[in-house]
């Protein structure tokens, strides 16, 4: 299995930080959904700088913050302390979650679990199943095989679904697993699917337009 590497959050400072401190659009939908369902124990898997931990913490969820990057956990903790919020913090690798069985009602993993290869992905899915309660829900995004990254011929292929990202920046040499609909159905076959949709994000860098395709998946145990 390819070794997972955390994001290099040291290169994300000041103005670059804003995007990572603003909750994603769908987090507000999930916040309402999980509040209505009276869910309580929330795992922010691969919390990054903590934008979703803070959102759910301010809404009275019991928040566990987890990331492989020490820097991510340190900065999430600093922000939570400024907000007078108390969370549980753990540094580790998602292929072996340091939590008891059935601890969580809801798990949020946005642009995280793709950072492994096919073998690692299978282990993460098993771990998600183990730490989720019955009727628990989990939101996941996965890079899509339709995206430009999967088509980069000069990025090393680790296995049929996984490439090493080679541009300079926080994701340099980090493995990226890319999925398609059939693979998603197979990977998460032990769960009930609530929805699967694909989103295209457009962004421009150095006058070049990029379109980034991700699957957004909501599953239930
Ligand atoms: C794209 S960032 C997303 C951060 C956050 N989910 C958000 O939406 O703001 C990916 C995060 O996953 C973490 N990560 C990567 N591989 C990991 C692993 N094997 N176990 C735990 N966290 C990991 C990275 O360190 C990084 O903080």
């Amino acid at each position: 299995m390819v070794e997972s590497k955390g994001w290099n959050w040291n290169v994300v400072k000041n103005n670059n930080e804003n995007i990572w401190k603003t909750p994603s659009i769908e987090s507000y939908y999930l916040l309402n959904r999980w509040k209505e369902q009276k869910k309580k124990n929330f795992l922010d898997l691969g919390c990054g700088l903590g934008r979703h931990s803070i959102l759910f913490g301010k809404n009275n969820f019991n928040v566990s913050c987890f990331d492989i990057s020490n820097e991510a956990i340190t900065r999430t903790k600093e922000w939570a302390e400024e907000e007078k919020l108390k969370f549980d913090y753990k540094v580790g690798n998602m292929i072996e979650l340091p939590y008891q069985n059935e601890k969580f009602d809801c798990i949020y993993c946005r642009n995280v679990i793709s950072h492994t290869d096919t073998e690692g992905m299978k282990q993460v899915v098993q771990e998600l199943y183990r730490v989720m309660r019955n009727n628990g829900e989990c939101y996941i995004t996965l890079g899509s095989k339709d995206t430009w990254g999967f088509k980069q011929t000069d990025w090393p292929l680790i296995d049929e679904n996984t490439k090493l990202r080679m541009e300079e920046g926080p994701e340099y040499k980090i493995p990226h697993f890319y999925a398609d609909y059939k693979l998603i159905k197979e990977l998460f076959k032990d769960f009930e699917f609530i929805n699967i949709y694909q989103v295209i994000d457009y962004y421009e860098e150095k006058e070049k337009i990029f379109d980034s395709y991700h699957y957004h998946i909501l599953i239930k145990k």
Side-chain angles (χ1 to χ4, degrees), residues 22-30 51-52 108 110 139 201:
T22 308
S24 65
I25 293 168
E26 70 282 346
S27 60
Y28 295 99
Y29 163 71
L30 290 166
R51 56 185 177 155
H52 303 115
Y108 196 91
R110 191 178 203 279
Y139 163 78
D201 293 305

Side-chain angles (χ1 to χ4, degrees), residues 1 43 45 66 90 92-107 109 113 116 119-133 137-138 140 187-188 190-191 219 221:
M1 188 192 313
L43 172 61
L45 199 161
F66 180 79
K90 287 193 169 53
N93 191 335
M94 62 193 171
I95 61 168
E96 206 174 340
L97 293 173
Y99 302 108
Q100 73 204 49
N101 296 353
E102 303 189 3
K103 179 173 169 66
F104 296 105
D105 301 303
C106 43
I107 305 181
C109 19
I113 67 166
T116 183
E119 205 188 320
M121 180 60 66
K122 288 181 186 160
Q123 291 196 22
V124 177
V125 174
Q126 275 182 11
E127 281 295 83
L128 288 173
Y129 193 85
R130 184 183 65 76
V131 300
M132 263 168 85
R133 287 200 180 137
E137 291 188 358
C138 177
I140 294 159
L187 274 171
F188 296 98
D190 294 334
F191 294 84
I219 47 176
K221 177 167 165 184

Side-chain angles (χ1 to χ4, degrees), residues 190-203:
D190 294 334
F191 294 84
E192 182 186 321
F193 285 90
I194 298 167
N195 53 48
I196 307 178
Y197 54 92
Q198 197 172 170
V199 173
I200 313 173
D201 293 305
Y202 292 97
Y203 59 99

Side-chain angles (χ1 to χ4, degrees), residues 4-7 9 20 46-48 51-52 66-69 92-94 110-112 115:
S4 261
K5 266 175 81 188
W7 259 43
W9 285 108
W20 295 108
C47 61
R51 56 185 177 155
H52 303 115
F66 180 79
D67 205 288
I68 200 170
S69 151
N93 191 335
M94 62 193 171
R110 191 178 203 279
N111 293 5
V112 174
H115 294 322

Side-chain angles (χ1 to χ4, degrees), residues 77-211:
K77 194 165 182 223
E78 280 168 9
W79 186 10
E81 282 171 1
E82 280 166 29
E83 302 281 353
K84 311 254 180 300
L85 292 167
K86 281 210 163 66
F87 297 158
D88 174 66
Y89 302 96
K90 287 193 169 53
V91 175
N93 191 335
M94 62 193 171
I95 61 168
E96 206 174 340
L97 293 173
Y99 302 108
Q100 73 204 49
N101 296 353
E102 303 189 3
K103 179 173 169 66
F104 296 105
D105 301 303
C106 43
I107 305 181
Y108 196 91
C109 19
R110 191 178 203 279
N111 293 5
V112 174
I113 67 166
S114 293
H115 294 322
T116 183
D117 58 11
T118 306
E119 205 188 320
M121 180 60 66
K122 288 181 186 160
Q123 291 196 22
V124 177
V125 174
Q126 275 182 11
E127 281 295 83
L128 288 173
Y129 193 85
R130 184 183 65 76
V131 300
M132 263 168 85
R133 287 200 180 137
N134 282 338
N135 287 320
E137 291 188 358
C138 177
Y139 163 78
I140 294 159
T141 62
L142 285 183
S144 160
K145 285 189 172 167
D146 293 328
T147 207
W148 64 276
F150 191 61
K151 296 172 189 153
Q152 296 307 296
T153 47
D154 53 343
W155 289 6
L157 194 66
I158 302 294
D159 63 39
E160 57 179 334
N161 307 309
T162 315
K163 288 208 158 205
L164 272 195
R165 201 161 170 145
M166 296 306 286
E167 340 118 286
E168 290 298 327
E171 297 192 274
Y172 181 63
K173 289 204 170 165
I174 288 186
H176 280 67
F177 172 93
Y178 295 91
D180 57 25
Y181 182 74
K182 207 169 142 225
L183 190 51
I184 291 170
K185 293 290 288 207
E186 174 58 27
L187 274 171
F188 296 98
K189 61 181 182 317
D190 294 334
F191 294 84
E192 182 186 321
F193 285 90
I194 298 167
N195 53 48
I196 307 178
Y197 54 92
Q198 197 172 170
V199 173
I200 313 173
D201 293 305
Y202 292 97
Y203 59 99
E204 291 185 32
E205 262 174 34
K206 297 180 189 147
E207 294 173 17
K208 216 169 143 195
I209 302 168
F210 291 88
D211 49 354

